[in-house]
Amino acid sequence: MAFLNMFNLFAAVIFTALIIVYGYQMIYVLISMIHRKVKPLPDTDQKNRFAIMISARNEEGVIFELLDSLNNMHYPRNLFDIYVIADNCTDETAEVSRKHGAIVVERFNNVKKGKGYALHDLYHEIISHKGHDYYDAYVVFDADNLVDPDFLMEVNKKWATGGYDALTTYRNSKNFSTNWLSAAYSIWFMHEARHLNYVRDMIGAQCMISGTGFVVSEHVMKNNNGWPFYFLTEDIQFSVDSTLQGYRIGYVDSAILYDEQPSTMKQSWNQRLRWAKGFYQIDLKYLGTLAKALFTVQGIRRKIGVYDVMMTCLPCTLLTVGFAGMALFVLAGSLYMPYYVRLLFQQDMISLLCNMLLGTWQTMVILASLTVASEWDRIPTANRDKLKYIWIFPMYMLTYIPITIQALFTKVTWKPIQHYSTSQLAAQRKTLNY
């Protein structure tokens, strides 16, 4: 009995600690809901020059849509150039990109593979022709994206306010309602944008770059000698490194891009396995430095930023997995105990595990509900789909548990994800729904 009391006390301490250290994110959500209406950015006469960088590998079927949407933006066409680096392509990505107005660099390197290496090489190719300081900033997209016509105009407005070294933008979805997986991805990225980055920017803390649709200043690129971020999650690596260097990352809510989300479990599993492994890489290199910086950086806003970044990178899922594993171990060990003792242990452990599962499910449903409610008008799908996927969102989050465990023991490499044009996505949705 004493053991059960100690175990339950330990569980209470663990969950209380998690609530305390991650409670600030609940405050972020509350602030976001209170300040739901985003103030429009002020107009400016300042016009910055941008280089748009796209790393593409065998994307002939989708990249033309991105390039067309970029060319149709409401921003002076002489103030931005579009660069595509066709990275180890075996299809017509380079030719399609040229036909749709991009400056193309073809890259073949079977040793240094990945988006980070491709962006690094592309930057140096650009400055070899244009020199440093020709562009004010660099904007990075993935080949499967689409952009709102006002994307660059809104980025320019934010850039003109000054004080930012990089920006992240609003990541919407091309295929929210394909199935529950694509919807879950979409809800998560909307949550990141509006409940986290929006509030971080509002209070002057540090935003996090997320995969695509981000902007980096020329002076940061020059100081870094390009893009030397080669981890499996190079976007998070950049965010952590920039935080430690004192660069400020902001957020532009009115700059909207549409990203295609995986719709099969195999693709989703491989992608999130890469993300999980990438976070472990970051933890090994940066967690100690972030912990030290928490006590050495000056100013409350920078301290909040460092703490936020550190907690974002911390592998808290492993703590939950470890605790659940202990409960299962105790449950298995109870099989060798006397009947009445075994019954007590089994009831206690099963109750604990069920409460963990139920609590997680309820928390994720609430998070998804708040996200869908706040972003209702921005979700490009029927109202019934907005509602029905709220209840399945927790399944997406819970599948991170086995993924996180596998990432500890598996060597992970980048694997391509098949992308589809908007017409193909529409046909796919019709097939799945009917």
Side-chain angles (χ1 to χ4, degrees), residues 8 27 51 92 252 257 298 327 357 392:
N8 288 330
I27 298 173
E92 299 299 318
V252 198
L257 70 100
Q298 301 299 311
L357 179 61
I392 313 176

Side-chain angles (χ1 to χ4, degrees), residues 122-139:
L122 179 56
Y123 171 77
H124 284 282
E125 185 71 23
I126 291 171
I127 63 170
S128 70
H129 291 87
K130 298 293 187 179
H132 287 292
D133 302 319
Y134 180 79
Y135 296 108
D136 297 291
Y138 296 81
V139 189

Side-chain angles (χ1 to χ4, degrees), residues 260-289:
E260 182 185 335
Q261 309 306 336
S263 56
T264 69
M265 181 53 76
K266 182 179 180 180
Q267 289 183 334
S268 174
W269 193 283
N270 288 336
Q271 183 185 65
R272 290 185 288 152
L273 185 65
R274 174 171 59 85
W275 291 350
K277 195 71 170 184
F279 269 98
Y280 290 149
Q281 292 174 326
I282 288 167
D283 292 335
L284 287 173
K285 182 172 182 179
Y286 292 106
L287 268 187
T289 309

Side-chain angles (χ1 to χ4, degrees), residues 332-381:
S334 68
L335 296 175
Y336 300 96
M337 299 177 181
Y339 175 74
Y340 289 108
V341 177
R342 178 172 75 242
L343 189 64
L344 185 62
F345 269 74
Q346 288 175 346
Q347 288 177 343
D348 215 48
M349 291 301 105
I350 291 174
S351 176
L352 180 63
L353 290 169
C354 289
N355 287 335
M356 286 177 60
L357 179 61
L358 180 61
T360 301
W361 198 281
Q362 290 174 334
T363 301
M364 291 300 105
V365 167
I366 292 171
L367 180 64
S369 299
L370 292 174
T371 302
V372 171
S374 66
E375 305 308 290
W376 187 270
D377 293 336
R378 281 179 156 178
I379 299 175
T381 191

Side-chain angles (χ1 to χ4, degrees), residues 218-276:
E218 159 62 14
H219 78 267
V220 170
M221 295 291 281
K222 182 163 58 177
N223 290 348
N224 287 334
N225 191 30
W227 185 261
F229 306 106
Y230 310 129
F231 284 174
L232 292 169
T233 47
E234 79 288 331
D235 51 345
I236 305 300
Q237 185 186 6
F238 170 80
S239 300
V240 174
D241 186 82
S242 296
T243 301
L244 292 172
Q245 291 194 58
Y247 296 134
R248 187 180 177 193
I249 304 174
Y251 167 70
V252 198
D253 187 78
S254 52
I256 304 169
L257 70 100
Y258 298 87
D259 187 35
E260 182 185 335
Q261 309 306 336
S263 56
T264 69
M265 181 53 76
K266 182 179 180 180
Q267 289 183 334
S268 174
W269 193 283
N270 288 336
Q271 183 185 65
R272 290 185 288 152
L273 185 65
R274 174 171 59 85
W275 291 350

Side-chain angles (χ1 to χ4, degrees), residues 84 139 148 180 266 322 370 394 420:
V84 171
V139 189
D148 182 84
W180 70 276
K266 182 179 180 180
L370 292 174
Y420 302 93

Side-chain angles (χ1 to χ4, degrees), residues 12 49 82 93 121 130 164 167 196 203 250 307 310 317 337 375 381 386:
R49 188 184 298 275
I82 305 171
T93 295
D121 288 355
K130 298 293 187 179
Y164 294 100
L167 297 171
L196 300 181
I203 67 176
Y307 178 80
M310 183 174 70
T317 305
M337 299 177 181
E375 305 308 290
T381 191
K386 299 175 188 180

